Amino acid sequence: MKKIDLGVLSGDILVFGGVYSNLHALDALIAQTEAMGIAPSNMICTGDVVAYCAYAEDSVARMRDLGCPVLMGNCEQQLAANGDDCGCGFADGSTCSLLSRTWYAHAKAQISDASRAWMGDLPERITFTHNGLRYGVLHGAASDVSRFVWPVTDDAVIADEIALLETQVGRVDRVLAGHSGIPMMREVGGKTWINAGAIGMPAHDGDLDTHFTIISDKSIENNLLYYNVEAAFQAMQANSLTQGYHATLKTGYWPSEETLPPEMRTQSAKG
């Protein structure tokens, strides 16, 4: 397991994940950080730079040029290994599993050898200290890069994942996670589990805007990201990525709710 420690960070920290090959969202985020005066050294990506949308290689190139710390997500792990699927943790035969075949094949065809090598060298854990608190960064969970931790996940499950993470990186006060695509913050056993959400896809809430988080000395705030949704949608159509996730950009709902816990299903998913 590759681990890196960023040392002590000061000032505001911007946390984001799930770029999902959505170059329009990534460019909007970068413009936002420039307007806020947040340097790339104070930005942390929780993984899955590449996934559903049209611009896999271009998104990786933009992230490499940006130079912020990036964690290895399951998509980076699979593409680096030239895997046959995204390793997202979808159940075999589920709608999400079937839909993933098209976008993963598109991404795999786009990604260059240089980008694949970059993905394979990303860390699986990141640690740092900010305002006297120690943070551990992972993708899905400490037990599995593709494990979903939801806003409704039992406290005991989250506590076990934090305990396992501490065996891997030492004591932490807060955990920054990705993968699920839905923003959340939970206090469990005196520790805080934070998911910034994804910038590349809506959070299955009917809102087209996506999410990132700002950690300051005084607060943790989840923020909406406004970007050119129509341009991202048109790019997916132009690349024949029309199996369902293209519609998500314009409806705010995922094409299937099978992955979600029953209590989080809205019955509003649209294909």
Side-chain angles (χ1 to χ4, degrees), residues 163-180:
L164 179 57
L165 176 64
E166 291 186 317
T167 69
Q168 298 166 349
V169 302
R171 182 194 62 80
V172 297
D173 301 292
R174 291 175 173 173
V175 178
L176 302 178
H179 191 54
S180 74

Side-chain angles (χ1 to χ4, degrees), residues 57-127:
E57 178 67 14
D58 290 339
S59 295
V60 172
R62 193 78 89 246
M63 288 296 295
R64 296 181 69 184
D65 288 343
L66 180 64
C68 75
V70 181
L71 192 80
M72 181 187 291
N74 56 278
C75 290
E76 285 79 37
Q77 185 182 76
Q78 291 297 101
L79 286 165
N82 204 28
D84 293 330
D85 59 54
C86 62
C88 293
F90 302 141
D92 289 341
S94 67
T95 300
C96 289
S97 176
L98 296 173
L99 294 178
S100 72
R101 295 176 184 175
T102 299
W103 68 254
Y104 183 78
H106 171 79
K108 190 175 178 181
Q110 276 200 353
I111 291 298
S112 66
D113 289 343
S115 292
R116 206 182 310 279
W118 175 80
M119 290 176 178
D121 195 44
L122 293 174
E124 296 170 84
R125 300 288 183 269
I126 296 173
T127 53

Side-chain angles (χ1 to χ4, degrees), residues 137-226:
V137 189
L138 46 70
H139 184 62
S143 61
D144 189 332
V145 67
S146 297
R147 183 170 191 176
F148 293 100
V149 175
W150 305 107
V152 299
T153 296
D154 288 346
D155 281 0
V157 172
I158 295 176
D160 285 347
E161 292 293 345
I162 294 172
L164 179 57
L165 176 64
E166 291 186 317
T167 69
Q168 298 166 349
V169 302
R171 182 194 62 80
V172 297
D173 301 292
R174 291 175 173 173
V175 178
L176 302 178
H179 191 54
S180 74
I182 295 181
M184 62 176 279
M185 185 167 68
R186 290 273 299 277
E187 298 286 341
V188 177
K191 314 276 186 177
T192 309
W193 185 285
I194 303 158
N195 193 315
I199 67 165
M201 278 280 158
H204 194 62
D205 57 4
D207 193 333
L208 306 193
D209 305 313
T210 57
H211 295 264
F212 65 94
T213 289
I214 298 287
I215 300 172
S216 70
D217 289 347
K218 295 182 179 180
S219 66
I220 303 170
E221 294 185 0
N222 194 260
N223 296 264
L224 292 176
L225 177 67
Y226 309 100

Side-chain angles (χ1 to χ4, degrees), residues 10-65:
S10 58
D12 291 351
I13 297 171
L14 187 146
V15 185
F16 68 104
V19 177
Y20 297 154
S21 306
N22 189 335
L23 187 64
H24 297 90
L26 179 56
D27 282 344
L29 181 78
I30 292 171
Q32 180 106 3
T33 62
E34 291 172 349
M36 298 172 70
I38 298 177
S41 57
N42 272 39
M43 298 170 64
I44 296 173
C45 177
T46 59
D48 284 353
V49 174
V50 170
Y52 312 102
C53 296
Y55 294 109
E57 178 67 14
D58 290 339
S59 295
V60 172
R62 193 78 89 246
M63 288 296 295
R64 296 181 69 184
D65 288 343

